[in-house]
Amino acid sequence: MCVVLALACVAATGWSQSVKWIVSRDNDFWRETKTSLSRHSEMTPVLTIQAGDGKGDKESRGETPGHVFKHWGTTFNELDWEAFIALDRDVQDKIMDDLFSPDGDLRFTRGRVSMNCNDYGSSWYSCDEVPGDLELRYFNIERDKRGIIPLIRAAQKFNPELTFWISPWSPPSWMKINHDYPVVSSRHNNADPRIDYLLFGAVDGIDEDEMKFLGERNSQFPRKLASQDYFIQDPRYLQAYANYFCKFIEAYAEQGVPVDMVIYQNEAYSYTPYPGCAWTAEGTVRFNRDYLAPTLEKRHPDVKLYLGTFNTNRLDHVEKVLSDSLLRESIEGVAFQWEGREILPEIRKRYPDFSYICSESECGNGDMDWKAGEHTFFLIADNLGNGCDEWYNWNFLLPKQGMSRWGWKQNALIELDPETRTCRYTPEYYAVKHFSNLIRQGARIEGYYYDKADRVPVLAVRNPDGMLLVVTSNPGDNERKLSLEIGSRYLNATLSPHSFNTFCIGANEALSL
Protein backbone atom coordinates (compact mmCIF):
# COMPACT_ATOMS: atom_id res chain seq x y z
CA MET A 1 0.00 0.00 0.00
CA CYS A 2 1.41 3.36 -1.02
CA VAL A 3 0.65 6.39 1.13
CA VAL A 4 0.78 9.56 -0.95
CA LEU A 5 2.32 12.55 0.81
CA ALA A 6 1.80 16.15 -0.25
CA LEU A 7 4.24 18.20 1.77
CA ALA A 8 4.80 21.89 1.45
CA CYS A 9 8.17 22.69 -0.06
CA VAL A 10 10.88 23.06 2.54
CA ALA A 11 12.19 26.59 2.69
CA ALA A 12 15.57 27.43 1.26
CA THR A 13 17.05 27.27 4.76
CA GLY A 14 16.25 23.54 4.82
CA TRP A 15 13.94 23.93 7.83
CA SER A 16 11.71 20.97 8.58
CA GLN A 17 10.37 19.25 11.65
CA SER A 18 9.76 15.52 11.89
CA VAL A 19 6.26 14.21 12.54
CA LYS A 20 5.35 10.54 13.03
CA TRP A 21 2.49 9.54 10.74
CA ILE A 22 0.57 6.32 11.46
CA VAL A 23 -1.71 5.06 8.68
CA SER A 24 -4.20 2.19 8.49
CA ARG A 25 -6.11 0.92 5.48
CA ASP A 26 -8.20 -2.19 5.04
CA ASN A 27 -5.96 -5.24 5.61
CA ASP A 28 -2.91 -3.00 6.02
CA PHE A 29 -2.96 -1.64 9.56
CA TRP A 30 -0.76 0.63 11.68
CA ARG A 31 1.96 1.54 9.19
CA GLU A 32 4.39 4.11 10.59
CA THR A 33 6.07 6.67 8.37
CA LYS A 34 7.24 10.25 8.76
CA THR A 35 6.33 13.63 7.41
CA SER A 36 7.37 17.11 8.47
CA LEU A 37 5.94 20.46 9.42
CA SER A 38 6.36 23.32 6.98
CA ARG A 39 6.56 27.11 6.98
CA HIS A 40 3.75 27.35 4.43
CA SER A 41 0.24 26.01 3.98
CA GLU A 42 -0.93 24.32 0.78
CA MET A 43 -4.57 25.18 1.42
CA THR A 44 -6.77 26.93 3.97
CA PRO A 45 -6.12 25.22 7.32
CA VAL A 46 -9.14 23.43 8.78
CA LEU A 47 -7.89 24.07 12.33
CA THR A 48 -5.55 26.50 14.02
CA ILE A 49 -3.76 25.12 17.08
CA GLN A 50 -1.82 27.47 19.31
CA ALA A 51 1.74 26.69 20.34
CA GLY A 52 2.34 25.71 23.94
CA ASP A 53 2.13 22.74 26.25
CA GLY A 54 -1.59 22.89 27.02
CA LYS A 55 -0.91 23.69 30.67
CA GLY A 56 -0.89 27.46 30.71
CA ASP A 57 -3.80 29.73 31.53
CA LYS A 58 -6.09 31.13 28.85
CA GLU A 59 -4.31 34.45 28.61
CA SER A 60 -0.78 33.09 28.27
CA ARG A 61 -1.82 30.52 25.69
CA GLY A 62 -3.97 32.93 23.75
CA GLU A 63 -6.84 30.44 23.52
CA THR A 64 -9.71 28.87 25.39
CA PRO A 65 -8.72 25.36 26.49
CA GLY A 66 -10.94 22.45 25.55
CA HIS A 67 -12.19 19.78 27.90
CA VAL A 68 -9.87 17.22 29.46
CA PHE A 69 -10.18 13.58 28.43
CA LYS A 70 -10.26 10.94 31.19
CA HIS A 71 -10.87 7.34 30.14
CA TRP A 72 -11.14 4.74 27.41
CA GLY A 73 -13.30 1.77 28.31
CA THR A 74 -15.25 -1.26 27.17
CA THR A 75 -18.14 -3.46 28.32
CA PHE A 76 -18.09 -6.91 29.92
CA ASN A 77 -20.85 -9.12 28.50
CA GLU A 78 -21.76 -12.79 28.77
CA LEU A 79 -21.47 -13.49 25.04
CA ASP A 80 -17.96 -12.01 25.11
CA TRP A 81 -17.18 -14.49 27.88
CA GLU A 82 -18.56 -17.41 25.85
CA ALA A 83 -16.28 -16.45 22.95
CA PHE A 84 -13.35 -15.90 25.32
CA ILE A 85 -13.46 -19.38 26.90
CA ALA A 86 -13.37 -20.97 23.43
CA LEU A 87 -9.79 -19.71 23.04
CA ASP A 88 -6.49 -21.18 24.19
CA ARG A 89 -4.97 -19.53 27.26
CA ASP A 90 -2.13 -17.87 25.35
CA VAL A 91 -4.62 -16.29 22.94
CA GLN A 92 -6.78 -15.14 25.86
CA ASP A 93 -3.75 -13.50 27.46
CA LYS A 94 -2.73 -11.86 24.21
CA ILE A 95 -6.20 -10.31 23.80
CA MET A 96 -6.35 -9.03 27.36
CA ASP A 97 -2.82 -7.66 27.11
CA ASP A 98 -3.72 -5.82 23.90
CA LEU A 99 -6.92 -4.41 25.36
CA PHE A 100 -6.06 -3.55 28.96
CA SER A 101 -2.33 -3.33 29.59
CA PRO A 102 -1.11 0.23 30.23
CA ASP A 103 1.42 -0.29 27.42
CA GLY A 104 -0.86 -2.42 25.22
CA ASP A 105 -2.72 -1.48 22.05
CA LEU A 106 -6.00 -0.02 23.33
CA ARG A 107 -5.13 0.76 26.97
CA PHE A 108 -8.65 0.58 28.39
CA THR A 109 -8.79 1.84 31.98
CA ARG A 110 -12.50 1.45 32.78
CA GLY A 111 -15.22 -1.13 32.34
CA ARG A 112 -18.98 -1.00 32.03
CA VAL A 113 -21.08 -3.74 33.66
CA SER A 114 -24.75 -4.47 33.19
CA MET A 115 -26.71 -4.87 36.41
CA ASN A 116 -28.89 -7.86 35.46
CA CYS A 117 -28.95 -9.30 31.93
CA ASN A 118 -28.43 -7.13 28.85
CA ASP A 119 -29.04 -7.85 25.18
CA TYR A 120 -25.68 -9.64 24.93
CA GLY A 121 -26.38 -11.95 27.82
CA SER A 122 -26.85 -15.64 27.09
CA SER A 123 -30.39 -15.62 28.55
CA TRP A 124 -32.52 -13.47 30.81
CA TYR A 125 -31.68 -13.26 34.50
CA SER A 126 -31.66 -10.71 37.28
CA CYS A 127 -30.07 -10.69 40.70
CA ASP A 128 -33.45 -11.20 42.37
CA GLU A 129 -36.27 -12.88 40.44
CA VAL A 130 -38.35 -13.62 43.56
CA PRO A 131 -41.63 -11.72 43.04
CA GLY A 132 -42.45 -9.32 45.86
CA ASP A 133 -39.03 -9.57 47.54
CA LEU A 134 -38.95 -5.89 48.46
CA GLU A 135 -36.46 -6.59 51.26
CA LEU A 136 -34.14 -8.19 48.66
CA ARG A 137 -33.52 -11.20 50.88
CA TYR A 138 -32.83 -13.34 47.81
CA PHE A 139 -30.54 -10.89 46.02
CA ASN A 140 -27.37 -12.56 44.67
CA ILE A 141 -24.78 -12.26 41.89
CA GLU A 142 -24.23 -15.98 41.37
CA ARG A 143 -24.83 -15.69 37.63
CA ASP A 144 -22.25 -12.89 37.36
CA LYS A 145 -19.72 -15.06 39.17
CA ARG A 146 -19.93 -17.63 36.37
CA GLY A 147 -19.20 -15.27 33.47
CA ILE A 148 -18.92 -11.53 33.99
CA ILE A 149 -16.59 -11.53 36.99
CA PRO A 150 -14.20 -14.16 35.53
CA LEU A 151 -13.97 -12.04 32.38
CA ILE A 152 -13.22 -8.97 34.50
CA ARG A 153 -10.55 -10.86 36.43
CA ALA A 154 -8.90 -11.86 33.18
CA ALA A 155 -8.65 -8.14 32.36
CA GLN A 156 -7.51 -7.18 35.87
CA LYS A 157 -4.56 -9.53 35.44
CA PHE A 158 -3.17 -7.02 32.94
CA ASN A 159 -4.47 -3.85 34.59
CA PRO A 160 -5.23 -4.22 38.32
CA GLU A 161 -6.20 -0.54 38.45
CA LEU A 162 -9.34 -0.95 36.32
CA THR A 163 -12.44 0.77 37.67
CA PHE A 164 -16.08 0.17 36.73
CA TRP A 165 -19.54 1.65 36.41
CA ILE A 166 -22.94 -0.02 36.22
CA SER A 167 -26.31 0.38 34.53
CA PRO A 168 -29.29 -1.97 34.14
CA TRP A 169 -31.09 -2.86 30.92
CA SER A 170 -34.11 -4.14 32.86
CA PRO A 171 -35.04 -4.27 36.53
CA PRO A 172 -36.20 -7.63 37.91
CA SER A 173 -39.27 -8.58 35.91
CA TRP A 174 -41.61 -8.40 38.92
CA MET A 175 -40.75 -4.71 39.41
CA LYS A 176 -42.27 -3.84 36.01
CA ILE A 177 -45.88 -3.23 35.03
CA ASN A 178 -45.75 -5.99 32.40
CA HIS A 179 -44.01 -8.43 34.78
CA ASP A 180 -41.51 -9.37 32.08
CA TYR A 181 -37.99 -8.39 31.05
CA PRO A 182 -38.70 -6.96 27.54
CA VAL A 183 -40.75 -3.89 26.71
CA VAL A 184 -42.60 -5.35 23.72
CA SER A 185 -43.51 -8.84 22.56
CA SER A 186 -41.54 -10.51 19.80
CA ARG A 187 -40.90 -13.83 18.12
CA HIS A 188 -37.69 -13.79 20.17
CA ASN A 189 -39.35 -13.67 23.60
CA ASN A 190 -42.42 -14.99 25.41
CA ALA A 191 -43.95 -11.65 26.32
CA ASP A 192 -47.74 -11.36 26.15
CA PRO A 193 -48.66 -9.32 23.04
CA ARG A 194 -52.03 -8.46 24.59
CA ILE A 195 -50.37 -5.89 26.85
CA ASP A 196 -48.15 -4.24 24.24
CA TYR A 197 -50.70 -1.43 24.35
CA LEU A 198 -49.15 -0.37 27.67
CA LEU A 199 -46.30 1.32 25.79
CA PHE A 200 -48.19 3.93 23.80
CA GLY A 201 -51.75 3.32 24.93
CA ALA A 202 -52.31 1.52 21.60
CA VAL A 203 -50.55 -1.22 19.65
CA ASP A 204 -50.22 0.85 16.47
CA GLY A 205 -46.68 1.90 15.67
CA ILE A 206 -44.85 -0.83 17.60
CA ASP A 207 -42.07 -2.32 15.48
CA GLU A 208 -39.82 -4.94 17.04
CA ASP A 209 -37.21 -4.32 14.33
CA GLU A 210 -36.90 -0.63 15.19
CA MET A 211 -34.24 -1.63 17.71
CA LYS A 212 -32.02 -3.27 15.09
CA PHE A 213 -29.34 -0.61 15.09
CA LEU A 214 -27.99 -0.40 11.56
CA GLY A 215 -26.25 2.97 11.62
CA GLU A 216 -27.51 6.48 11.07
CA ARG A 217 -31.31 6.52 11.09
CA ASN A 218 -31.47 10.24 10.27
CA SER A 219 -34.80 10.86 11.93
CA GLN A 220 -36.41 11.58 15.27
CA PHE A 221 -35.78 8.78 17.70
CA PRO A 222 -37.81 7.28 19.15
CA ARG A 223 -40.67 8.00 16.79
CA LYS A 224 -43.00 7.95 19.79
CA LEU A 225 -42.25 8.41 23.48
CA ALA A 226 -43.60 5.93 26.01
CA SER A 227 -46.85 7.06 27.56
CA GLN A 228 -46.06 5.56 30.98
CA ASP A 229 -43.23 4.18 33.07
CA TYR A 230 -42.67 0.45 32.83
CA PHE A 231 -41.13 0.47 36.30
CA ILE A 232 -43.85 0.31 38.96
CA GLN A 233 -44.08 3.79 40.49
CA ASP A 234 -44.95 2.57 43.98
CA PRO A 235 -42.63 4.14 46.60
CA ARG A 236 -41.91 0.71 48.06
CA TYR A 237 -40.68 -0.55 44.69
CA LEU A 238 -38.71 2.62 43.93
CA GLN A 239 -36.89 2.43 47.26
CA ALA A 240 -36.27 -1.31 46.89
CA TYR A 241 -34.72 -0.66 43.49
CA ALA A 242 -32.45 2.04 44.90
CA ASN A 243 -31.38 -0.44 47.58
CA TYR A 244 -30.80 -3.00 44.83
CA PHE A 245 -28.15 -0.76 43.24
CA CYS A 246 -26.35 -0.50 46.57
CA LYS A 247 -26.41 -4.26 47.13
CA PHE A 248 -24.94 -4.75 43.65
CA ILE A 249 -22.11 -2.29 44.38
CA GLU A 250 -21.39 -4.08 47.66
CA ALA A 251 -21.50 -7.56 46.12
CA TYR A 252 -19.08 -6.55 43.38
CA ALA A 253 -16.75 -4.92 45.88
CA GLU A 254 -16.57 -8.25 47.72
CA GLN A 255 -15.35 -9.76 44.42
CA GLY A 256 -12.63 -7.15 44.04
CA VAL A 257 -14.48 -5.15 41.39
CA PRO A 258 -14.66 -1.45 42.37
CA VAL A 259 -17.77 0.37 41.14
CA ASP A 260 -17.49 4.15 41.34
CA MET A 261 -20.34 5.33 39.07
CA VAL A 262 -24.01 4.47 38.54
CA ILE A 263 -26.46 5.18 35.73
CA TYR A 264 -30.10 4.33 36.40
CA GLN A 265 -31.07 2.87 33.00
CA ASN A 266 -29.59 1.88 29.68
CA GLU A 267 -31.51 3.42 26.78
CA ALA A 268 -34.85 4.25 28.32
CA TYR A 269 -36.02 5.13 24.78
CA SER A 270 -35.39 1.73 23.21
CA TYR A 271 -38.65 -0.19 23.41
CA THR A 272 -37.09 -3.56 23.16
CA PRO A 273 -37.86 -7.25 22.65
CA TYR A 274 -34.70 -7.89 24.72
CA PRO A 275 -34.19 -6.71 28.33
CA GLY A 276 -35.28 -3.09 28.64
CA CYS A 277 -37.41 -0.63 30.56
CA ALA A 278 -39.25 2.45 29.31
CA TRP A 279 -39.26 5.52 31.55
CA THR A 280 -41.06 8.85 31.23
CA ALA A 281 -39.36 12.14 32.05
CA GLU A 282 -41.38 12.36 35.26
CA GLY A 283 -40.43 8.83 36.32
CA THR A 284 -36.78 9.46 35.51
CA VAL A 285 -36.69 12.54 37.71
CA ARG A 286 -38.66 10.89 40.51
CA PHE A 287 -36.49 7.80 40.80
CA ASN A 288 -33.11 9.52 40.47
CA ARG A 289 -33.91 12.59 42.58
CA ASP A 290 -36.01 11.10 45.36
CA TYR A 291 -34.67 7.55 45.70
CA LEU A 292 -31.44 6.61 43.95
CA ALA A 293 -29.47 9.80 44.68
CA PRO A 294 -30.25 10.01 48.44
CA THR A 295 -29.75 6.26 48.90
CA LEU A 296 -26.34 6.37 47.23
CA GLU A 297 -25.42 9.45 49.24
CA LYS A 298 -26.26 7.61 52.45
CA ARG A 299 -24.74 4.22 51.70
CA HIS A 300 -22.08 4.93 49.05
CA PRO A 301 -21.22 8.63 49.07
CA ASP A 302 -18.08 7.93 47.03
CA VAL A 303 -20.12 6.59 44.07
CA LYS A 304 -21.03 9.16 41.42
CA LEU A 305 -24.49 9.34 39.87
CA TYR A 306 -24.68 10.14 36.16
CA LEU A 307 -27.89 10.59 34.21
CA GLY A 308 -28.62 8.52 31.13
CA THR A 309 -27.99 6.70 29.05
CA PHE A 310 -29.68 9.11 26.66
CA ASN A 311 -30.12 7.44 23.28
CA THR A 312 -32.70 9.96 22.09
CA ASN A 313 -32.30 13.10 19.98
CA ARG A 314 -35.48 14.62 21.42
CA LEU A 315 -33.87 17.70 22.91
CA ASP A 316 -37.09 18.91 24.54
CA HIS A 317 -37.45 15.62 26.42
CA VAL A 318 -33.89 15.59 27.73
CA GLU A 319 -34.24 19.25 28.68
CA LYS A 320 -37.43 18.39 30.57
CA VAL A 321 -35.46 15.92 32.68
CA LEU A 322 -32.46 18.20 33.25
CA SER A 323 -34.62 21.24 34.02
CA ASP A 324 -35.28 19.86 37.51
CA SER A 325 -32.85 21.83 39.67
CA LEU A 326 -32.87 19.37 42.57
CA LEU A 327 -32.02 16.52 40.23
CA ARG A 328 -29.17 18.53 38.69
CA GLU A 329 -27.70 18.99 42.17
CA SER A 330 -27.64 15.21 42.61
CA ILE A 331 -25.74 14.22 39.45
CA GLU A 332 -22.19 14.76 38.28
CA GLY A 333 -22.49 13.95 34.62
CA VAL A 334 -24.61 12.84 31.68
CA ALA A 335 -24.17 9.83 29.37
CA PHE A 336 -25.09 9.83 25.69
CA GLN A 337 -25.10 7.08 23.07
CA TRP A 338 -26.62 6.53 19.63
CA GLU A 339 -28.99 9.37 18.67
CA GLY A 340 -28.13 11.17 21.89
CA ARG A 341 -24.87 12.21 20.22
CA GLU A 342 -26.87 14.56 17.98
CA ILE A 343 -27.96 16.77 20.90
CA LEU A 344 -24.77 16.47 22.95
CA PRO A 345 -23.32 19.85 21.80
CA GLU A 346 -26.48 21.77 22.72
CA ILE A 347 -26.92 20.07 26.10
CA ARG A 348 -23.27 20.66 26.93
CA LYS A 349 -23.69 24.32 25.99
CA ARG A 350 -26.66 24.65 28.34
CA TYR A 351 -25.06 22.69 31.19
CA PRO A 352 -21.30 23.25 30.92
CA ASP A 353 -20.47 22.15 34.47
CA PHE A 354 -21.34 18.49 33.97
CA SER A 355 -19.02 15.78 32.70
CA TYR A 356 -20.20 14.05 29.53
CA ILE A 357 -19.43 10.53 28.38
CA CYS A 358 -20.08 8.35 25.35
CA SER A 359 -21.47 5.36 27.22
CA GLU A 360 -21.65 2.93 24.29
CA SER A 361 -20.27 2.68 20.77
CA GLU A 362 -22.78 1.84 18.05
CA CYS A 363 -22.94 -1.91 17.61
CA GLY A 364 -23.12 -2.41 13.84
CA ASN A 365 -24.79 -5.33 12.06
CA GLY A 366 -22.31 -8.18 12.27
CA ASP A 367 -20.26 -7.32 9.19
CA MET A 368 -17.17 -6.29 11.16
CA ASP A 369 -15.76 -4.78 7.95
CA TRP A 370 -13.88 -1.63 6.94
CA LYS A 371 -17.08 0.37 6.52
CA ALA A 372 -17.99 -0.39 10.13
CA GLY A 373 -14.51 0.70 11.18
CA GLU A 374 -14.89 4.01 9.35
CA HIS A 375 -18.21 4.65 11.07
CA THR A 376 -16.73 3.92 14.50
CA PHE A 377 -13.73 6.15 13.75
CA PHE A 378 -16.03 9.08 12.96
CA LEU A 379 -18.14 8.47 16.07
CA ILE A 380 -15.11 8.51 18.37
CA ALA A 381 -13.84 11.77 16.85
CA ASP A 382 -17.29 13.34 17.01
CA ASN A 383 -17.94 12.33 20.61
CA LEU A 384 -14.57 13.58 21.83
CA GLY A 385 -14.71 16.69 19.70
CA ASN A 386 -18.13 17.62 21.06
CA GLY A 387 -17.32 17.26 24.72
CA CYS A 388 -17.15 13.63 25.91
CA ASP A 389 -14.40 12.98 28.43
CA GLU A 390 -14.91 9.19 28.50
CA TRP A 391 -15.63 6.76 25.66
CA TYR A 392 -16.85 3.15 25.90
CA ASN A 393 -16.79 0.33 23.39
CA TRP A 394 -19.63 -2.19 23.34
CA ASN A 395 -18.60 -5.83 22.65
CA PHE A 396 -14.88 -6.49 22.42
CA LEU A 397 -15.01 -10.19 21.40
CA LEU A 398 -17.75 -12.08 19.51
CA PRO A 399 -18.04 -15.02 17.12
CA LYS A 400 -18.49 -14.34 13.42
CA GLN A 401 -21.56 -12.16 12.76
CA GLY A 402 -22.04 -11.61 16.50
CA MET A 403 -25.55 -13.06 16.78
CA SER A 404 -27.44 -12.14 19.95
CA ARG A 405 -29.91 -14.41 21.71
CA TRP A 406 -32.64 -12.02 20.58
CA GLY A 407 -32.15 -12.47 16.87
CA TRP A 408 -29.76 -10.01 15.26
CA LYS A 409 -26.09 -9.49 14.58
CA GLN A 410 -23.62 -7.01 16.01
CA ASN A 411 -19.94 -6.13 15.73
CA ALA A 412 -16.94 -6.50 18.02
CA LEU A 413 -13.36 -5.33 18.11
CA ILE A 414 -12.14 -8.91 17.77
CA GLU A 415 -13.92 -11.63 15.77
CA LEU A 416 -13.75 -15.30 16.73
CA ASP A 417 -13.88 -18.08 14.15
CA PRO A 418 -15.53 -20.86 16.22
CA GLU A 419 -14.39 -23.60 13.82
CA THR A 420 -10.68 -22.78 13.88
CA ARG A 421 -10.69 -21.10 17.32
CA THR A 422 -8.69 -18.23 15.86
CA CYS A 423 -9.27 -14.50 16.10
CA ARG A 424 -9.26 -11.60 13.67
CA TYR A 425 -8.69 -8.04 14.86
CA THR A 426 -11.35 -6.08 13.00
CA PRO A 427 -11.07 -2.60 11.41
CA GLU A 428 -12.99 -1.24 14.40
CA TYR A 429 -10.16 -2.43 16.64
CA TYR A 430 -7.74 -0.28 14.67
CA ALA A 431 -10.18 2.62 14.54
CA VAL A 432 -10.11 2.63 18.35
CA LYS A 433 -6.34 2.12 18.44
CA HIS A 434 -5.72 5.25 16.35
CA PHE A 435 -7.18 7.18 19.30
CA SER A 436 -6.71 5.21 22.51
CA ASN A 437 -3.16 4.02 21.95
CA LEU A 438 -1.84 7.57 22.05
CA ILE A 439 -4.42 9.86 23.71
CA ARG A 440 -3.56 9.74 27.39
CA GLN A 441 -5.62 10.32 30.51
CA GLY A 442 -5.57 14.07 31.15
CA ALA A 443 -5.19 15.00 27.47
CA ARG A 444 -6.83 18.25 26.39
CA ILE A 445 -9.02 18.44 23.32
CA GLU A 446 -7.53 21.35 21.38
CA GLY A 447 -9.80 21.43 18.35
CA TYR A 448 -12.33 19.55 16.24
CA TYR A 449 -13.38 19.95 12.63
CA TYR A 450 -15.99 18.06 10.64
CA ASP A 451 -17.59 18.91 7.32
CA LYS A 452 -20.57 16.76 6.35
CA ALA A 453 -19.81 17.37 2.68
CA ASP A 454 -16.41 15.65 2.65
CA ARG A 455 -16.98 13.56 5.83
CA VAL A 456 -13.39 14.07 7.03
CA PRO A 457 -13.21 14.43 10.84
CA VAL A 458 -10.12 16.09 12.31
CA LEU A 459 -9.44 15.93 16.06
CA ALA A 460 -6.48 17.72 17.67
CA VAL A 461 -5.46 16.60 21.16
CA ARG A 462 -2.56 17.58 23.43
CA ASN A 463 -1.28 15.03 25.92
CA PRO A 464 -0.18 16.07 29.42
CA ASP A 465 3.48 15.80 28.34
CA GLY A 466 2.89 18.33 25.57
CA MET A 467 2.74 15.89 22.65
CA LEU A 468 0.24 17.06 20.04
CA LEU A 469 -1.84 14.45 18.23
CA VAL A 470 -3.93 15.00 15.10
CA VAL A 471 -6.32 12.12 14.38
CA THR A 472 -8.22 12.09 11.09
CA SER A 473 -9.66 9.75 8.47
CA ASN A 474 -10.58 9.83 4.81
CA PRO A 475 -13.71 7.72 4.19
CA GLY A 476 -13.92 8.76 0.54
CA ASP A 477 -12.82 7.03 -2.66
CA ASN A 478 -10.37 9.80 -3.60
CA GLU A 479 -7.36 11.39 -1.95
CA ARG A 480 -8.05 14.35 0.35
CA LYS A 481 -5.65 17.19 1.07
CA LEU A 482 -5.43 18.43 4.63
CA SER A 483 -3.75 21.38 6.30
CA LEU A 484 -3.57 22.48 9.95
CA GLU A 485 -1.88 25.56 11.34
CA ILE A 486 0.15 24.61 14.40
CA GLY A 487 1.81 27.55 16.05
CA SER A 488 3.83 29.20 13.27
CA ARG A 489 4.07 26.03 11.17
CA TYR A 490 1.76 23.89 9.09
CA LEU A 491 0.95 20.23 8.87
CA ASN A 492 0.15 19.46 5.21
CA ALA A 493 -0.72 15.99 3.97
CA THR A 494 -2.78 14.13 1.42
CA LEU A 495 -4.86 11.38 2.99
CA SER A 496 -5.16 8.14 1.09
CA PRO A 497 -8.68 6.94 0.25
CA HIS A 498 -10.34 4.93 3.01
CA SER A 499 -7.59 5.49 5.56
CA PHE A 500 -7.19 6.18 9.29
CA ASN A 501 -4.40 8.61 10.16
CA THR A 502 -2.72 9.75 13.37
CA PHE A 503 -0.02 12.43 13.33
CA CYS A 504 2.26 12.67 16.37
CA ILE A 505 4.20 15.85 17.06
CA GLY A 506 6.49 15.04 19.97
CA ALA A 507 6.48 17.06 23.17
CA ASN A 508 9.73 18.85 22.40
CA GLU A 509 8.60 19.74 18.90
CA ALA A 510 5.18 20.90 20.08
CA LEU A 511 6.75 23.17 22.70
CA SER A 512 9.20 24.69 20.23
CA LEU A 513 6.62 25.85 17.71
Side-chain angles (χ1 to χ4, degrees):
M1 184 272 294
C2 178
V3 178
V4 181
L5 307 183
L7 305 179
C9 295
V10 177
T13 60
W15 186 93
S16 66
Q17 198 158 15
S18 180
V19 175
K20 182 193 290 187
W21 185 353
I22 304 169
V23 183
S24 294
R25 296 191 68 190
D26 198 6
N27 297 315
D28 190 9
F29 303 110
W30 207 255
R31 296 287 183 144
E32 294 189 13
T33 183
K34 287 188 177 181
T35 182
S36 51
L37 297 178
S38 171
R39 291 183 181 275
H40 306 286
S41 174
E42 291 189 331
M43 57 181 289
T44 302
V46 298
L47 283 176
T48 298
I49 307 301
Q50 301 296 324
D53 62 0
K55 300 176 183 178
D57 58 30
K58 298 179 185 179
E59 196 169 319
S60 64
R61 294 173 60 211
E63 62 173 330
T64 301
H67 64 283
V68 173
F69 188 77
K70 299 175 183 175
H71 294 287
W72 300 102
T74 191
T75 312
F76 292 83
N77 289 328
E78 282 193 324
L79 294 193
D80 293 62
W81 169 248
E82 290 185 10
F84 187 74
I85 59 176
L87 299 169
D88 293 336
R89 176 59 63 85
D90 59 338
V91 180
Q92 293 177 347
D93 284 349
K94 174 67 165 59
I95 287 173
M96 290 308 197
D97 188 21
D98 287 340
L99 294 176
F100 296 101
S101 286
D103 59 353
D105 271 5
L106 303 192
R107 307 181 181 189
F108 291 146
T109 57
R110 274 175 71 68
R112 180 182 183 182
V113 176
S114 169
M115 187 176 74
N116 307 326
C117 183
N118 63 32
D119 55 321
Y120 266 67
S122 58
S123 63
W124 164 250
Y125 74 96
S126 80
C127 299
D128 190 339
E129 277 297 294
V130 179
D133 183 23
L134 293 171
E135 295 183 6
L136 305 179
R137 293 186 180 186
Y138 298 97
F139 178 95
N140 68 86
I141 59 166
E142 294 307 308
R143 175 78 168 257
D144 298 57
K145 291 179 182 178
R146 297 199 295 269
I148 301 299
I149 289 174
L151 189 61
I152 288 173
R153 286 179 175 155
Q156 288 175 318
K157 175 182 176 181
F158 293 91
N159 186 350
E161 303 303 315
L162 284 172
T163 55
F164 300 85
W165 63 275
I166 62 172
S167 64
W169 267 238
S170 173
S173 60
W174 55 273
M175 291 186 176
K176 295 171 64 180
I177 61 173
N178 63 342
H179 306 296
D180 209 340
Y181 68 81
V183 177
V184 297
S185 64
S186 162
R187 63 190 182 281
H188 300 296
N189 62 42
N190 296 315
D192 189 342
R194 295 176 300 176
I195 54 174
D196 280 347
Y197 75 87
L198 293 172
L199 182 59
F200 301 131
V203 295
D204 293 341
I206 294 177
D207 176 9
E208 68 174 64
D209 290 333
E210 185 177 4
M211 293 306 111
K212 288 189 176 180
F213 297 145
L214 302 178
E216 295 290 339
R217 286 173 284 196
N218 294 320
S219 62
Q220 182 172 265
F221 183 83
R223 288 174 287 180
K224 294 182 180 180
L225 288 168
S227 62
Q228 62 179 312
D229 295 286
Y230 266 52
F231 190 93
I232 296 171
Q233 296 297 294
D234 181 320
R236 297 172 302 162
Y237 283 72
L238 292 163
Q239 185 57 58
Y241 198 34
N243 295 340
Y244 192 104
F245 278 81
C246 293
K247 289 183 73 71
F248 192 90
I249 293 167
E250 292 153 10
Y252 262 63
E254 291 175 359
Q255 299 299 311
V257 182
V259 173
D260 62 14
M261 188 177 88
V262 162
I263 293 178
Y264 88 105
Q265 174 66 46
N266 175 74
E267 297 186 351
Y269 313 98
S270 292
Y271 308 136
T272 58
Y274 55 78
C277 189
W279 291 77
T280 66
E282 293 80 6
T284 297
V285 171
R286 182 182 301 115
F287 176 61
N288 282 278
R289 180 193 64 199
D290 300 340
Y291 295 92
L292 185 54
T295 303
L296 285 173
E297 178 62 29
K298 180 179 179 180
R299 294 176 57 175
H300 295 286
D302 55 329
V303 175
K304 299 182 293 292
L305 177 60
Y306 273 45
L307 201 61
T309 62
F310 286 119
N311 66 314
T312 177
N313 54 14
R314 289 177 175 253
L315 180 62
D316 58 338
H317 175 85
V318 176
E319 176 62 29
K320 185 176 182 180
V321 174
L322 289 173
S323 65
D324 189 284
S325 60
L326 292 178
L327 174 61
R328 291 202 308 273
E329 292 175 4
S330 302
I331 64 173
E332 297 191 33
V334 185
F336 287 95
Q337 56 194 56
W338 287 88
E339 272 76 10
R341 177 181 58 84
E342 299 171 16
I343 61 173
L344 166 63
E346 181 59 31
I347 292 294
R348 184 167 178 256
K349 184 187 303 181
R350 298 183 187 187
Y351 303 99
D353 295 333
F354 288 139
S355 292
Y356 292 89
I357 71 171
C358 172
S359 42
E360 178 186 309
S361 61
E362 295 185 12
C363 54
N365 58 7
D367 288 340
M368 306 195 204
D369 57 7
W370 183 260
K371 183 178 179 181
E374 288 182 327
H375 186 58
T376 294
F377 189 104
F378 160 70
L379 292 172
I380 298 173
D382 203 57
N383 276 294
L384 268 62
N386 283 314
C388 288
D389 57 31
E390 299 181 28
W391 181 90
Y392 293 88
N393 171 65
W394 181 226
N395 285 299
F396 63 79
L397 175 65
L398 288 177
K400 284 183 175 180
Q401 299 187 329
M403 182 68 75
S404 85
R405 297 296 191 261
W406 282 273
W408 65 89
K409 306 167 185 176
Q410 293 185 7
N411 293 353
L413 301 180
I414 302 172
E415 179 186 57
L416 166 70
D417 184 332
E419 295 183 1
T420 63
R421 297 174 66 191
T422 58
C423 288
R424 177 179 73 93
Y425 286 47
T426 69
E428 286 181 85
Y429 178 94
Y430 290 96
V432 176
K433 183 178 178 179
H434 268 268
F435 294 86
S436 67
N437 182 263
L438 293 162
I439 297 176
R440 303 285 185 257
Q441 184 175 5
R444 187 176 298 279
I445 308 302
E446 295 283 341
Y448 177 58
Y449 165 85
Y450 180 69
D451 188 327
K452 289 185 177 180
D454 62 19
R455 300 185 298 127
V456 175
V458 184
L459 183 73
V461 182
R462 197 184 305 273
N463 276 335
D465 65 359
M467 174 178 283
L468 183 66
L469 305 170
V470 177
V471 193
T472 182
S473 71
N474 176 13
D477 296 331
N478 302 308
E479 295 172 348
R480 297 278 187 172
K481 286 190 175 183
L482 176 72
S483 180
L484 282 79
E485 183 178 359
I486 303 173
S488 61
R489 309 298 178 186
Y490 296 90
L491 173 65
N492 300 303
T494 296
L495 309 179
S496 298
H498 298 289
S499 64
F500 305 151
N501 304 266
T502 300
F503 298 90
C504 310
I505 304 171
N508 292 334
E509 290 86 349
L511 293 174
S512 67
L513 297 177

